[in-house]
Amino acid sequence: YSPDDDIHWTPQLKSAVKYDQDAAQEVDNGIFWMSWEAVLNFYNSIHCSWSPARFAVRCNVHGYWKKTHSDRDHLDDNPQYILRVTASRDTMVWLLLDRHYIETKDEPHIALHVYKGSRKIYYPTGVLVHSVYRNSPHFLIRLPCPKGDNAFALVISIFDDTGVLPYTLSSYSAEPTALYKALDCPAIEATSSLAFEKTFRYAWGAETAGGSMNSDAFDRNPMFKLESRCAQRLFIKVRSAEMSSAQAESTKAPHIGIHLFQ
């Protein structure tokens, strides 16, 4: 129903929706009305907007993720962010994950999982909000926050083993909020620009699989020597080889660990 439509705009309809047809004809703003039957016929979804004035604090982060393997067993390669909310009362924070299109055929199923706490998440256990994957370009979560200081770890995920995801993650809140990248070791990465990093690639085989500390062959396990000439913080991470979902289902994942001796 356009402003110049004199057939559908009956006096009864204009009164019911409080529509001033004369005033609408004075402004060419592109606004038009549709019957509910026409909406159901031509559209399969509706996206509603809210007023930004309702949210005093808005945080945005942008990123690009190229997923190369399954994240069913570990999440340390997934984009992760820490959300902190200082609430003067019980409140609600809205989290919006927007997927940017590279090609229109790229429609991976995405999800945003929420964990309690301010540390990076390595294993998919103890989740607070486990979202359902969907291929919509927008993923929205309403997160309740009680009065006081709240901290959450937000994990972005793609259902498929591989995929590309350019994205924007936004938080909307009426209370003071901070949104920043989750780090492996914040005490090192956030304060030091001279952090030393070294990666060793090794394998357990017939000659190097020594077993646990209870095994007589324990000294056959891969061993490395680390020397430090000053007091400092160290972060050490051990991870197994990357596997697809099919490989993970057919292969028993080994129990791995690390022991430190001085």
Side-chain angles (χ1 to χ4, degrees):
Y1 303 172
S2 71
D4 297 323
D5 187 347
D6 294 324
I7 299 176
H8 293 94
W9 281 120
T10 63
Q12 294 80 4
L13 180 58
K14 287 189 289 187
S15 176
V17 298
K18 298 181 174 57
Y19 180 70
D20 188 338
Q21 186 175 8
D22 294 333
Q25 291 176 344
E26 297 295 328
V27 180
D28 184 12
N29 54 15
I31 296 177
F32 64 93
W33 292 64
M34 296 179 65
S35 67
W36 182 241
E37 291 76 15
V39 172
L40 297 178
N41 183 41
F42 292 104
Y43 298 93
N44 55 22
S45 63
I46 298 176
H47 298 269
C48 299
S49 300
W50 54 56
S51 171
R54 297 190 58 185
F55 303 97
V57 181
R58 175 178 177 177
C59 302
N60 295 317
V61 292
H62 309 281
Y64 179 90
W65 181 33
K66 185 177 182 180
K67 184 179 180 181
T68 58
H69 60 277
S70 171
D71 57 1
R72 294 187 180 183
D73 295 324
H74 61 84
L75 301 170
D76 57 318
D77 286 334
N78 293 52
Q80 298 189 28
Y81 297 89
I82 302 301
L83 174 71
R84 290 187 176 273
V85 182
T86 304
S88 59
R89 52 186 172 82
D90 292 350
T91 187
M92 199 73 67
V93 175
W94 294 82
L95 302 173
L96 178 63
L97 176 62
D98 287 313
R99 185 187 76 224
H100 305 311
Y101 279 98
I102 297 179
E103 297 181 9
T104 55
K105 64 180 180 180
D106 291 332
E107 292 189 350
H109 288 71
I110 61 174
L112 181 65
H113 306 307
V114 182
Y115 293 78
K116 190 75 174 177
S118 59
R119 301 290 298 271
K120 186 173 181 178
I121 304 300
Y122 293 95
Y123 303 105
T125 58
V127 63
L128 180 65
V129 179
H130 189 277
S131 301
V132 177
Y133 291 86
R134 56 177 179 263
N135 63 345
S136 169
H138 311 290
F139 199 101
L140 186 65
I141 290 179
R142 186 176 62 176
L143 185 62
C145 295
K147 180 180 178 180
D149 294 329
N150 299 269
F152 305 94
L154 313 179
V155 181
I156 298 174
S157 182
I158 300 176
F159 181 79
D160 299 318
D161 287 347
T162 60
V164 174
L165 180 63
Y167 63 87
T168 295
L169 178 62
S170 305
S171 67
Y172 300 85
S173 173
E175 301 288 334
T177 304
L179 181 65
Y180 54 89
K181 185 179 181 180
L183 303 176
D184 279 318
C185 188
I188 297 177
E189 296 179 78
T191 60
S192 176
S193 59
L194 301 176
F196 171 81
E197 181 177 342
K198 183 71 174 181
T199 301
F200 295 95
R201 299 188 181 277
Y202 214 78
W204 278 285
E207 300 297 326
T208 58
S212 69
M213 292 184 64
N214 298 325
S215 171
D216 293 336
F218 176 76
D219 58 352
R220 287 164 44 188
N221 283 302
M223 296 188 181
F224 304 90
K225 183 179 181 181
L226 177 64
E227 293 183 354
S228 176
R229 298 182 180 180
C230 62
Q232 59 178 309
R233 294 177 180 267
L234 299 175
F235 177 80
I236 302 174
K237 179 169 62 174
V238 179
R239 58 180 297 175
S240 59
E242 301 171 353
M243 293 188 296
S244 66
S245 297
Q247 291 174 319
E249 292 176 357
S250 61
T251 305
K252 184 178 180 181
H255 291 79
I256 63 174
I258 184 171
H259 300 279
L260 300 179
F261 300 92
Q262 188 171 8

